[in-house]
Amino acid sequence: MKLPVNGGINLSISDGWWCEGYNRQNGWTIGPVVSTELPSSEQNDYADAESLYSLLENAVVPLYFERDEAGLPQEWISTSKRSLKSLTAMYSSNRMLNDYIRQFYLRAARRRNMLRDNNWAACRALAAWQNSLPGRFATVKVDALTISGIEDNTMICGEPVSVQLRMHLGEMQAQEVLVQLVIGQALPNGSFLDKPEILRLEPRNGEVETGGMRYVASYIPSFSGHYRYGVRIMPVHPAQATPLETDQILWA
């Protein structure tokens, strides 16, 4: 990451930050080009070595030594400029610190002030809620999960898929429960190819049916290939930093 700001050009395997940084015009990738950091059977030392030598012989070295009348490697300089332009701003300490400040430090400061108000009233309420949560959340029961728009375990790209969950809240209140669809493209081993999409399921007209609740959502797949999905139910409280902090999740 220090290389582009100094005018250098990266030559690396698809690993770590280079999975995101490489755009096919700002450097070279050794071996297969992938967009995740997950290792695959296609990446091995022998294949990478052959790819490296081939890139050096047919791309890197010729580009560097191809000079104009002034003795300058113009195409190499153009690639260096593209590397500098596309990578320096994104992979810099300045961007990193700004992200930490905006996404974490300021949010944490605002939450701390909220918890501190009225002699830490929100903090005390959150602690009491968390103490009572495990027993009450265990009473939540899923009745049925219905997926419409899928035939033979196949979705049609661009066509909406309807998701409906029926469940009993037990001792939980409706405002204490968050229902979400987690869905994304999947690798052959079942892992997500990239960060999955999170879609909230909403109560249908706030309707309560025979002591139960119905939650619905509509999802439109935009990519071809294998998908992995699930519906998760989590307890929520206004003073939480994130619903995930309770470690209480029910999957449907």
Side-chain angles (χ1 to χ4, degrees), residues 50-211:
E50 183 177 351
S51 176
L52 172 60
Y53 294 140
S54 177
L55 281 171
L56 288 172
E57 180 179 357
N58 300 306
V60 180
V61 173
L63 192 70
Y64 182 78
F65 283 102
E66 184 179 346
R67 307 295 172 111
D68 61 11
E69 295 179 355
L72 297 175
Q74 292 295 344
E75 290 301 319
W76 179 276
I77 294 172
S78 295
T79 303
S80 176
K81 289 180 178 179
R82 288 194 295 268
S83 173
L84 179 68
K85 181 178 179 180
S86 63
L87 299 173
T88 301
M90 179 59 67
Y91 301 96
S92 68
S93 297
N94 183 63
R95 192 275 307 163
M96 178 190 68
L97 288 174
N98 276 317
D99 282 357
Y100 272 114
I101 291 170
R102 287 184 282 110
Q103 298 179 26
F104 299 102
Y105 298 153
L106 291 179
R107 291 184 182 182
R110 286 193 291 267
R111 181 168 182 264
R112 193 256 185 193
N113 291 337
M114 179 271 294
L115 293 174
R116 184 183 59 184
D117 287 345
N118 299 319
N119 194 27
W120 302 93
C123 190
R124 298 175 191 276
L126 178 61
W129 179 81
Q130 289 177 329
N131 286 335
S132 69
L133 182 61
R136 294 193 301 115
F137 189 68
T139 64
V140 175
K141 303 297 180 184
V142 174
D143 287 338
L145 174 62
T146 305
I147 311 290
S148 302
I150 296 181
E151 295 185 8
D152 297 327
N153 206 29
T154 301
M155 300 184 295
I156 299 177
C157 190
E159 295 293 328
V161 174
S162 177
V163 182
Q164 178 175 273
L165 179 74
R166 293 172 59 95
M167 69 176 183
H168 286 268
L169 297 181
E171 298 179 16
M172 298 291 288
Q173 300 297 316
Q175 65 271 21
E176 294 180 290
V177 175
L178 175 65
V179 183
Q180 295 176 323
L181 171 68
V182 182
I183 187 167
Q185 289 184 283
L187 296 169
N189 63 7
S191 302
F192 282 116
L193 176 62
D194 205 344
K195 183 179 180 181
E197 297 181 64
I198 308 294
L199 183 64
R200 181 168 184 167
L201 276 69
E202 301 289 351
R204 173 165 291 178
N205 300 323
E207 185 178 359
V208 179
E209 302 176 349
T210 62

Side-chain angles (χ1 to χ4, degrees), residues 208-221:
V208 179
E209 302 176 349
T210 62
M213 291 289 293
R214 182 193 302 180
Y215 294 84
V216 297
S218 180
Y219 175 77
I220 299 178

